[in-house]
């Protein structure tokens, strides 16, 4: 699914209005209906609803929603902030449609800012994607009062005061519990810095024309079920273990063999044909007894990796979880990436080693997959001042180094050397605990071994990992969930997507 800036969404609106054709007021009606449908399935008419409108089209949506909720027997109080005489045409039409139905309370001065009694659901329809400058004055007074009221807020399209496509410097922004957005996700939703200005967000379909969406170019996408499903490889009837790839994972050190074990189990559950674990000697008994399906290639070093063997017979290589940064390990990593010569997966200490020895970046095979969490990415690419700048750095790093960067987090973002970025939509905060990153490395390595091209191994791996986390959380809850639970749910994740 494409993520588009407000300007391009406006083009799609205009195209739909012209070519469907549909009058813009009817498109607004359709948007308001889609919002109302979402709202009525979540909140019953026992709730009192307060709708706060601006006078642009977002405000027009708010008026239409107020009318629809009134028809469905919700008790609705309605306010419009009217600082100037100007209002959009569709706002004015909706104003007329409300005559005799609900009174519109005008807010024209600070004294008219409502009190917001508790227990209301507040619908935020002040500004949408047309926000053009920081919020101040009367609008700021209303937004502060809304945020301080303690009521549940639902924003229409996007929280008022939040810029859809760039960093928002001001903190005068509505803090909704839910954002219900029209058809196309906004880039702002994927930025951790905006978490309190987005809440849980949902996309509702308002029937914008597909051909119009296709015409608009974008480098940003959201990974969805449909996309991943279409990329999953099927098992052939006459398949054998050799058909599904040979993977080598170099992982673990004394005190960090758990990382190697998690990575191994995840690679196997993701379907690799044959798995070999290259680990320091201290891990030999652990690996053989805990993961009997994996073959073990013990290193000469007792406590950490000191060398590497013949890598030519492997289809995929994953390196990094728990390896530490001893000098011999650094040297082995430098050598093995060149000896392997094909795209591989590098994680954790493998990335920290690269940050310390940047010359390795020069010799990485094209489309190697790097899987940093934000701290590891900072070591590689330097600091950023906000999340939009972080995204710029991500895109630049991937294209300058011809690598695929999987920047992990709540909406893991996968940057390709082409400049495209795919934001993940699966997963939950229960996954923020030690070891889940090792699981991801095992999964992506496994997919590479099974013949997925690096770009698809990254996308399918990240999405599947999040689905496994979501399924695990349904059973364990988010708080008690651990990385091993996630591994147990990889088979179900496959079943779920298929
Ligand atoms: N996309 C779709 O498919 C559909 C979109 N629809 C809806 O339309 C919404 C976009 O509507 P929109 O373009 O009229 O802009 P909107 O957000 O209402 O604000 C514009 C007004 O606010 C003003 N203003 C801006 N910033 C300000 C500030 N800081 N402080 C004070 N004023 C400020 C601005 O003034 P100006 O900048 O012109 O001075 C103008 O008057 C979209 O989010 C969705 O809800 C649906 O109805 C149909 C399908
Ligand atoms: N809030 C969150 N929502 C969804 N996924 C998350 C969240 N926090 C972390 N994750 C996922 O959990 C994994 C954590 O990886 P990482 O930080 O490397 O952990 P570790 O090093 O302990 O294995 C990543 O795949 C990340 O995307
Ligand atoms: K809004």
């Amino acid at each position: 699914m494409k993520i588009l800036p407000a300007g391009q969404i406006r083009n799609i609106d205009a195209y739909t209005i012209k070519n469907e054709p549909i009058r813009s007021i009817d498109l607004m009606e359709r948007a308001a209906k889609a919002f109302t449908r979402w709202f009525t399935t979540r909140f019953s008419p026992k709730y009192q609803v307060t709708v706060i409108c601006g006078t642009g089209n977002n405000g027009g949506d708010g008026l239409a929603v107020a009318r629809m909720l009134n028809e469905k027997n919700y008790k609705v109080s309605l306010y419009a902030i009217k600082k100037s005489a100007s209002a959009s045409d569709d706002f004015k039409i909706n104003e007329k449609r409300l005559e005799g139905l609900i009174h519109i309370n005008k807010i024209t001065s600070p004294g008219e800012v409502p009190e917001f009694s508790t227990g209301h659901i507040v619908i935020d329809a002040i500004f949408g994607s047309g926000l053009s400058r920081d919020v101040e004055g009367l609008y700021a007074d209303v937004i502060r009062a809304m945020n301080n009221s303690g009521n549940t807020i639902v924003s229409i399209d996007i929280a008022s005061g939040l810029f859809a496509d760039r960093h928002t410097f001001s903190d005068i922004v509505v803090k909704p519990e839910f954002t219900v957005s029209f058809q196309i996700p906004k880039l702002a939703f994927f930025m951790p810095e905006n978490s309190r200005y987005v809440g849980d967000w949902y996309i509702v379909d308002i029937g914008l024309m597909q051909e119009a969406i296709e015409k608009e170019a974008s480098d940003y996408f959201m990974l969805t079920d449909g996309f991943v499903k279409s990329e999953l490889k099927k098992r052939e009837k006459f398949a054998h273990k050799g058909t599904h790839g040979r993977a080598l994972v170099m992982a673990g050190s004394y005190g960090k063999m758990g990382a190697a074990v998690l990575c191994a189990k995840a690679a196997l559950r993701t379907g690799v044909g044959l798995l070999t674990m290259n680990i320091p000697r201290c891990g030999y008994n652990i690996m053989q007894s805990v993961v009997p399906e994996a073959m073990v290639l013990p290193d000469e070093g007792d406590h950490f990796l000191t060398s590497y063997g013949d890598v030519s017979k492997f289809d995929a290589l994953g390196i990094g979880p728990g390896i530490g940064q001893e000098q011999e390990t650094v040297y082995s990593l430098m050598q093995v990436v060149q000896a392997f010569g094909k795209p591989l997966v590098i994680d954790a200490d493998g990335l920290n080693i690269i940050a310390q020895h940047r010359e390795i970046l020069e010799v990485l095979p094209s489309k190697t997959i790097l899987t940093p969490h934000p701290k590891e990415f900072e070591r590689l690419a330097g600091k950023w001042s906000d999340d939009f700048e972080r995204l710029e750095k991500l895109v630049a790093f991937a294209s300058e180094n011809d690598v695929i960067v999987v920047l992990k987090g709540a909406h893991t973002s996968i940057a390709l050397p082409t400049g495209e970025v795919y934001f993940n939509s699966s997963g939950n905060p229960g996954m923020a605990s030690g070891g889940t990153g090792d699981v991801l490395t095992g999964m992506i390595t496994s997919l590479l071994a099974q013949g997925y091209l690096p770009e698809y191994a990254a996308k399918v791996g990240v999405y599947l990992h999040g689905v496994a986390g979501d399924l695990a959380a349904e059973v364990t809850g988010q708080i008690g969930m651990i990385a091993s639970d996630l591994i147990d749910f990889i088979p179900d994740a496959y079943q779920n997507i298929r």
Side-chain angles (χ1 to χ4, degrees), residues 52 58 124-129 154-161 174:
I52 311 283
N58 196 248
D124 155 36
I126 305 172
F127 304 122
S129 55
V154 185
S155 287
I156 299 186
D157 206 23
I158 183 167
S160 299
V174 167

Side-chain angles (χ1 to χ4, degrees), residues 304-323:
F304 51 86
L305 292 169
T306 61
S307 61
Y308 67 96
D310 175 12
V311 289
S312 63
K313 62 175 190 273
F314 295 102
D315 303 303
L317 171 63
I319 179 165
I323 60 174

